[in-house]
């Protein structure tokens, strides 16, 4: 039966994984994931990715915002740019964009019908513990859409890894690797070496240029040992951000590359790491365009750039910041930001935390306790994830003034009516951040160029 609604297409995207999940006994990506099934699905619908230009972006922190920076800057420079990211915050359509505009529901449904036959044909051949990854199925829709609309270049945010990620079936001329930290150890391996090697899997023989963002010294050493056959630009060697200052309204910085200096750039996003991400985008775009970029275009692009849910200010009265931190390192970036906007601890801070059971909720709670006067543990109104029952006790062990509410809306009501705070920080899974965006009445389908 033909799909007539977006929810039906979304159900197909997740159906293979949900069918298999109870039969999967292994956890490592190389034993569970089968990106070759994504390749088969793409080929079944005419290989729309062939002869298209792709940039793959992987890493542990900042890959979504870096992808957004690259796509926006290229759009401002005159290119028609596809952008594929995950997860979404409110609407699934957010994952597939051209020049900032999300795919229309009618196009999403129509292209869902195009891949439906190939999806089911592959599905019939799979064992009980094999599945077509949701990212790969969505990628097939994105590739068809980008081909149909005639994009010049497409920016693709990888999933949690690289080598065995469904997006890695694409032939990418460019690879960008954002900061890597210890994460997803059950899936990527027990240490930074194995995690880094997973991420480096997006660098293929045909990848003509690699851009490595700021890294820890041990990660950088692993990269240099394994990136000898591809041209590579490294942060602080060929490009960097400097003179970085952050206030409650944004981040100002200079970018220096091999070709030029771009002074006093401003992002309406918070956090020094955003300047680092922007530097990677500028360096890559210089290579694509063949030289220094127009200073005015770069300034204009960055000063109006949006990337929802990443150290984003969604209200100024009281100052309300949302961020999708789900482990200690990401929370540390956020804590540094809170210290910058509240250096004397003169304003009261309430952190609302909703991190799933399978993520580093203890690390996030501990870090946020160091910059907060009050902790509230909660969860989003809609989520398929399991949230920890011991989080409230852990919060109290770090900060006595801690409490729990069933849902985010309840927590916000409590703050407003009974425990006013001058700064509210909402931190946790993307579904929690999406919940916050909905509660504050914000749409995400058009984020501009």
């Amino acid at each position: 039966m033909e799909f007539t609604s977006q929810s039906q297409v979304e159900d197909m995207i997740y159906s293979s994984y949900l069918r298999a999940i109870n039969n999967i006994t292994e956890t490592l990506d190389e034993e569970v994931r089968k990106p070759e099934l994504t390749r088969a699905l793409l080929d079944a619908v005419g290989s729309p990715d062939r002869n298209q230009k792709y940039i793959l972006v992987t890493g542990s922190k900042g890959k979504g915002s870096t992808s957004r920076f690259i796509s926006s800057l290229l759009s401002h420079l005159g290119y028609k740019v596809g952008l594929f990211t995950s997860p979404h915050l409110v609407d699934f359509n957010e994952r597939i964009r051209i020049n900032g505009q999300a795919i229309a529901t009618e196009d999403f449904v129509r292209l869902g019908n195009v891949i439906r036959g190939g999806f089911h044909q592959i599905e019939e051949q799979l064992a009980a513990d094999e599945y077509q990854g949701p990212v790969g199925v969505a990628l097939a829709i994105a590739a068809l859409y980008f081909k149909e609309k005639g994009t010049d270049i497409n920016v693709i945010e990888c999933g949690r890894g690289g080598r065995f990620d469904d997006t890695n079936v694409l032939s990418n001329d460019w690879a960008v690797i954002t900061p890597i930290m210890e994460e997803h150890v059950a899936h990527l391996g027990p240490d930074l070496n194995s995690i880094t090697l997973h991420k480096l899997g997006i660098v293929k023989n045909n990848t003509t240029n690699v851009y490595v963002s700021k890294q820890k010294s041990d990660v950088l050493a692993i990269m240099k040992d394994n990136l000898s056959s591809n041209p590579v630009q490294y942060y602080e060697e060929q490009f960097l951000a400097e003179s970085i200052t952050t206030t409650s309204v944004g981040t100002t910085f200079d970018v220096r590359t091999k070709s030029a200096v771009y002074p006093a750039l401003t992002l309406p996003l918070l956090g020094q790491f955003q300047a680092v991400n922007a530097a990677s985008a500028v360096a890559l775009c210089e290579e694509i365009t063949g030289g220094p970029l127009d200073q005015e275009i770069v300034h204009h692009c960055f000063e109006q750039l949006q990337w929802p849910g990443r150290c984003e200010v969604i209200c100024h009265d009281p100052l309300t910041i949302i961020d999708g931190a789900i482990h200690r390192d990401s929370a540390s970036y956020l804590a540094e930001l809170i210290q910058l906007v509240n250096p004397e601890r003169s304003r009261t801070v309430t952190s609302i935390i909703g991190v799933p059971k399978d993520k580093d909720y203890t690390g996030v709670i501990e870090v946020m306790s160091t910059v907060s006067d009050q902790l509230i543990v909660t969860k989003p109104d809609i989520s398929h994830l399991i949230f920890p029952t011991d989080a409230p006790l852990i919060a109290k062990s770090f900060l006595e003034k801690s409490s729990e509410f069933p849902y985010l809306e309840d927590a916000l009501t409590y703050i407003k009516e009974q425990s006013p705070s001058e700064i509210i920080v909402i931190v946790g899974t993307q579904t929690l951040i999406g919940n916050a965006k909905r509660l504050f009445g914000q749409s995400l389908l058009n984020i501009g160029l």
Side-chain angles (χ1 to χ4, degrees), residues 89 322-323 352-355 378-383 387 407-408 426-437:
L89 292 178
I322 58 176
D323 187 72
I352 304 174
I353 300 170
V355 178
T378 190
K379 60 181 180 291
D381 55 1
I382 302 171
S383 180
F387 287 78
Y407 300 109
L408 175 60
I426 302 171
V427 54
T429 182
Q430 294 297 308
T431 50
L432 183 80
I433 302 308
N435 192 176
K437 296 288 284 187

Side-chain angles (χ1 to χ4, degrees), residues 269-283:
L269 306 173
L270 306 183
Q272 294 195 6
F273 66 93
Q274 300 289 17
V276 174
N277 297 339
S280 300
V282 170

Side-chain angles (χ1 to χ4, degrees), residues 25 53 112 115 118 120 124 212 232 267-268 335 369 384:
T25 55
K53 292 185 181 297
I115 71 167
H120 288 300
E124 290 168 1
V212 175
V232 185
L267 285 166
S369 72
H384 66 282

Side-chain angles (χ1 to χ4, degrees), residues 139-202:
L139 180 67
I141 293 176
L144 281 166
Y145 185 60
F146 297 156
K147 177 78 170 180
E148 186 178 271
K149 297 298 183 181
T151 54
D152 299 310
I153 196 164
N154 304 299
V155 184
I156 310 294
E157 178 190 0
C158 297
R160 66 182 172 221
R163 188 177 305 277
F164 297 98
D165 196 78
D166 289 316
T167 61
N168 204 32
V169 302
L170 301 172
S171 178
N172 57 303
D173 293 294
W174 300 274
V176 181
I177 304 172
T178 69
I180 292 175
M181 54 193 67
E182 200 164 291
E183 55 154 1
H184 298 300
V185 292
H187 305 290
L188 304 181
D191 52 37
L192 273 175
N193 183 73
S194 55
I195 293 168
T196 302
L197 292 178
H198 265 281
K199 307 288 187 183
L200 291 181
I202 71 165

Side-chain angles (χ1 to χ4, degrees), residues 312-333:
E312 180 191 7
V313 175
I314 57 172
C315 183
H316 286 279
D317 186 23
L319 179 63
T320 305
I321 301 168
I322 58 176
D323 187 72
I326 53 174
H327 46 64
R328 181 183 300 273
D329 285 346
S330 291
S332 295
Y333 284 108

Side-chain angles (χ1 to χ4, degrees), residues 248-267:
S248 61
V249 296
T251 304
T252 300
F253 55 98
D254 303 338
V255 168
R256 185 181 300 274
T257 70
K258 295 185 301 182
S259 305
V261 176
Y262 303 85
L265 300 173
T266 299
L267 285 166

Side-chain angles (χ1 to χ4, degrees), residues 267-318:
L267 285 166
L269 306 173
L270 306 183
Q272 294 195 6
F273 66 93
Q274 300 289 17
V276 174
N277 297 339
S280 300
V282 170
L284 185 148
C285 290
E286 280 188 343
E287 192 278 323
I288 290 175
T289 62
L293 308 178
D294 184 295
Q295 296 270 353
E296 188 174 334
I297 289 175
V298 177
H299 275 267
H300 177 68
C301 169
F302 285 159
E303 70 185 9
Q304 55 81 56
L305 196 144
Q306 303 173 52
W307 191 233
R310 282 75 170 182
C311 288
E312 180 191 7
V313 175
I314 57 172
C315 183
H316 286 279
D317 186 23

